[in-house]
Amino acid sequence: AMIRVATQDAFSEAVASAKPGDQIVLADGTWQDFDALFQAEGTQEHPVQLTAETPGKVILSGQSSLRLAGNHLLVSGLVFKDGYTPRSEVISFRRDSEALANNTRVTNVVIDGYSNPDRTQRDLWVGLYGRNNTFDFNHLSGKLNAGPTLAVRLDTAASQENRHRIRHNYFGPRPVFGSNGGETLRIGTSHYSLTDSLTIVENNFFDRCSGEVEIISNKSGGNIFRGNTFYASRGTLTLRHGNGTLVENNLFDGAGAPYTGGVRVINARQTIRNNYFKDLTGNRFSGALVIMNGVPDSPINRYHQVVGAVIENNTFDGVAAIELGEGSDAERTATPVNSVFSRNLVVGADGGSPINLYDDMGGVAFSGNLSSAAPPAVIAGGFDLRQNLTPSGGAFLAMIDGAGASGTYGVAKDQTGVSWYPKASEASPFEGGRDIQLQPGTDVLFTALKTAEPGDHYTLAPGSYRESKIIQVDTPVTIASRGGDVAVLSFERSHLFVLTGNGSLALGGLVVSGDAAPDGSGNSFISTSSIRGSGNHILSLSHIRVQDFDVNRGFSVVSAAKGSFFDRIDVENSDFENISGAVFKLDEETDDYGIYNAEFLSIRDSHFKMIGGPIAAVYRGGRDESTFGPHVDVTGSSFETVANGDQPLMELYGIQKGSFTGNTVVGAKPIALTFTTGLPVFTSSGNTIDGATQDAFADIADERNR
Amino acid sequence: AMIRVATQDAFSEAVASAKPGDQIVLADGTWQDFDALFQAEGTQEHPVQLTAETPGKVILSGQSSLRLAGNHLLVSGLVFKDGYTPRSEVISFRRDSEALANNTRVTNVVIDGYSNPDRTQRDLWVGLYGRNNTFDFNHLSGKLNAGPTLAVRLDTAASQENRHRIRHNYFGPRPVFGSNGGETLRIGTSHYSLTDSLTIVENNFFDRCSGEVEIISNKSGGNIFRGNTFYASRGTLTLRHGNGTLVENNLFDGAGAPYTGGVRVINARQTIRNNYFKDLTGNRFSGALVIMNGVPDSPINRYHQVVGAVIENNTFDGVAAIELGEGSDAERTATPVNSVFSRNLVVGADGGSPINLYDDMGGVAFSGNLSSAAPPAVIAGGFDLRQNLTPSGGAFLAMIDGAGASGTYGVAKDQTGVSWYPKASEASPFEGGRDIQLQPGTDVLFTALKTAEPGDHYTLAPGSYRESKIIQVDTPVTIASRGGDVAVLSFERSHLFVLTGNGSLALGGLVVSGDAAPDGSGNSFISTSSIRGSGNHILSLSHIRVQDFDVNRGFSVVSAAKGSFFDRIDVENSDFENISGAVFKLDEETDDYGIYNAEFLSIRDSHFKMIGGPIAAVYRGGRDESTFGPHVDVTGSSFETVANGDQPLMELYGIQKGSFTGNTVVGAKPIALTFTTGLPVFTSSGNTIDGATQDAFADIADERNR
Ligand SMILES: [Ca+2]
Ligand SMILES: [Ca+2]
């Protein structure tokens, strides 16, 4: 029977009496704080269904979640948004550890931006338990908080060898998380990784899934990844634990985006065939193909040796790096054995060979490959040179003489997810809004930004803008002086702007004075919120002058709250003078869990004078190798009397990449740089220190156990 | 005319057209987010009035504030509660720096608990600017966030020599703030302190105003403090800056509460006469009377020498300490000069003399004083002994032979504030609620605590309680096993309890297991919220067993969020085993602004075994001398394998008082103790370390510049 329900109580009653073939229909509208438990017994021919009156018109919001338990259930048409789960999962294929769902399908469901506002709070959007479940044609986009978007759990016998199918889903953008725990998909955990999952992941579209180094973390055996598209996604499909997985017919299209990679191979009997790797810029852990060294007699949570890998008939079209023996160090000494690398077509991005060897590849048989440039001599016998080959650009390379992939790869975006919910835009967050003119006065910005819409541009006529309240910015906006003139901002509270939610700021041509700020420590021009602020913020400062930030101690320009994250802070052509604290204070994550406050800090063509703290304090603790950042780049800038002249110019702890080039420094101590994990790179050149050319201007402490 | 207004727009219109003698009446009800500007011109005979339709029935809530500007205004009958000001003040005697209020009176107004939920956000509840204003018969209670409750500002010439009157107000409890910035009243700032304020503060009742070491921070000249009662208030009326202030006829009644003090004297021409100091327990900076040493040629924000002080006819009845030459060190070397200490009556609390000399008192003429015990010999000539005198207890001592105070002192509580709003209770926060019986099951506590009321007691029948959601505790509750039986709690999210608002917990007789907690770093049993959590939390753990907190790194029992504060954490007769992180993690305030996470941590008769981090990590940065805490006391407890045996048993940075007595330790490194400011005291005795008696079990680093 079809039972339409309009209240949570009615739903519970309908579930309690549901029989095979029944269809429980949720009434259109918003279901607030709906703690739904759908436990029932259907049959293969007559599942018990939970559907929407109109697909896409049934919204579960606030503190809602859905638990499934029983057999032969079918769920479709629901949308989770405007809230987050109070449980450890949004959709759970179990009631609790005692009642799982089997033979159950969830389809045509949307989970959009349903992230815990405290991004350090860990949850799953989908937890697959039980056996023989199908998750297909769903749309999962914009997870910002800790924990994989979807995870297959193998934690009891009843969830192992599960043969789940994860098909035709749209995985929308997952921005950089800024720590381990930003996977889009995880299958298993190290503890159960020698168990087979037998999950099939096919024809899904991964759109900018860039949470961390693992787009997918495969941690069980016998899985198949087939026909998926990975578009502009940082990191790799990582075969982290478990054996005997097949990766075929996938398209890895980096679109030239940074850190885009392909497949990272670890463990035994992994097969990588007929995949197309295109325009991937990543190297090292994020190469187009990465074969890791193992740890001899590895514990279950470290790196098992690559044994019996088959890498064949793949096309590498314009890739930056194929890394062989990656991770080789004092611990990871077990090189791959009994493996083959055959009939692959390799075209490097820049004319040279993308193949790098970090250890002995004697255990890999190279044969029948074609390459546009000579690979390292020791493996060159397995390659024929075709120096006329170049990256295909918009097109695809066909198989040549039996080398490379053929047939179709990946899936079109519109073949995934649902038709009735829009997929994520690629437009700049700072575009698409209104143009608004403002005149000088008191609380002008506070009043204007109360009704801000995404992409709004506020243009300030010259004059003085005095703000008596903190302005919460929860959407991307641009605030700039009218061309050629200058608006002067001052503020009476501890901060002028606090970024929350999706708040981002592009500021141009402004003077910012701290002279009206309160006489307390720890003021800043721009701060963030840890609780309301799950979003990935972007901050751009162009032609800004910041002055008189010295009423009390620790006055910063930008200070990140613990648990908040900036995708980027870009500073150019700006001046900073009389600042009592750290200019960019991004060091709140001191717990050494690998969390940090900003992915990129870029400063160029700017001037700093009379600064009480360091220019930048950046802290990324922990020893995991899960992130590409933080990055700090400083170029073409000048520094005069920083950190009172007796402390470091910058304090950079645990950053992964950095540069200091073409700068002029007077009266400051060298950058304090601490390497803690990963393969950090810091370059320094063209600097003038106290009148003399001095390229190296950093005290480097290397705490890595290498 | 009388103009009744019921909307914010109608109010603004009424103000715009107000004439002398007009009375604008706010309609009864709740005014949400009312950003009220009352700018008008009255006359002395015909002020412009802003009143409540019914006093106490007009509630300004949410993000409301009131600014006054003009002349001869009168405001009465309003209540601010359930919110906080978005500006830097709740009631401001100015519109902005250009328009001040003069000859204006605010009376019969209540501000109750109107604290910014982020306690580090600084504001004033009342900012007095202009001249000749009266603030009387108001009720200000429960400020929790940074910044003085009421401040007189002298920042422009138009606000100096202001002759304000602050009379008959009820200043309700101001709990420990946990940093500088918790003053109840401040007059002036160091910058303008050589200017006269000429403010009169009389007949006010200070009820448990214990925010920091300064109940009142007097920072200007020519003020009068007369006839006030200070009841059970920590700290002192501090004559911090400025000269020529009179303190007379006040009652300082400590009621035996910790750290209660009287008057601290600094600067020139201060007069302290005819005050009654009763049952005050404080010493050093918080003595009944404290005469500070000065800094020669002091900068304006340090300590000016005491010159020409007159201390006469005061009664000290059962006080712990009169500190003379306090603060004497390498910097503060200027002893008081040209001063008199005459006809005072001194009765120590414990039979001995409360008078301590820290430097040469040759510049103070002692004469005609009476004392119950012999003072230090060098000043004994100025005292007659009356060894029969003892503390008066409930009564008052009369003047004896011309020594001591006479007449009346202080003010009765009911002569202050308003009659129509209740003053603060002295009952325990854990009493007065319901008794509720709970049975084992899933999410039983989550469901029960959703409707918790202050003082509720939840009694748990034996069995297993499994919680799948985080429980927010915003009111004081007790949760205990039924006598003799044991309830076992486990939880599936990163925390079981998060204390917010006024949340406090008393837990008894429970077993808490971490075995269901998520596999992520940084879990804890009890945490706090920095944004929603402005309250002073109390936590009591009695007969608790905590086990299996080791699923991942950094699993704590209690972890304080940055910006949150515990009044007390009391632990007794409890066991902790297999904990991967710090047991009590109270070290989030690393900015060195003098903020910290807990005032008291007390552990007794408890057992700790297999602990990955330290037992306690406590951090109090900064170099200010504004706080009495943190305190850490550990007694009668045992420790086996703490911090993996290779890191300190406790990491205590910047604590003010501590003890480690009668404990047994096996397999742990000594306590890491860092003294940074103040006059820290740490005692250690009766301990057995690895089988041997060893009293000292701390590595002490003293970073003070003494
Ligand atoms: Ca990972
Ligand atoms: Ca103070």
Side-chain angles (χ1 to χ4, degrees), chain A residues 73 80 194 245 310 326 339 345 386 390 406 464 517 525 599 668:
Chain A
L73 311 178
F80 289 86
L194 298 182
T245 280
V310 175
E326 176 59 84
S339 298
L345 174 58
R386 298 292 168 94
T390 57
S406 63
S464 175
F525 174 41
E599 185 70 3

Side-chain angles (χ1 to χ4, degrees), chain A residues 86-87 121 468 493-494 588, chain B residues 86-87 121 468 493-494 562:
Chain A
R87 297 181 173 276
Q121 283 290 339
S468 68
R493 302 304 307 276
S494 53
E588 284 293 328
Chain B
R87 297 180 174 276
Q121 283 290 340
S468 68
R493 301 304 307 277
S494 53
K562 184 166 179 164

Side-chain angles (χ1 to χ4, degrees), chain B residues 180-181 183 212 214 626:
Chain B
N180 191 15
E183 305 88 353
E212 57 142 276
E214 300 175 303
S626 302

Side-chain angles (χ1 to χ4, degrees), chain B residues 322 324 353-358 371 373-383:
Chain B
I322 293 174
L324 304 180
S353 168
I355 302 177
N356 301 303
L357 268 53
Y358 298 96
S371 178
V378 67
I379 62 169
F383 291 80

Side-chain angles (χ1 to χ4, degrees), chain B residues 268-308:
Chain B
R269 292 178 283 108
Q270 315 287 27
T271 300
I272 319 296
R273 71 179 178 216
N274 210 59
N275 299 286
Y276 202 102
F277 300 92
K278 186 173 173 56
D279 301 333
L280 298 167
T281 66
N283 65 359
R284 305 307 305 252
F285 274 43
S286 195
L289 176 74
V290 187
I291 310 285
M292 293 289 291
N293 262 19
V295 175
D297 300 315
S298 175
I300 197 160
N301 65 345
R302 290 297 295 157
Y303 283 84
H304 285 257
Q305 187 177 27
V306 172
V307 178

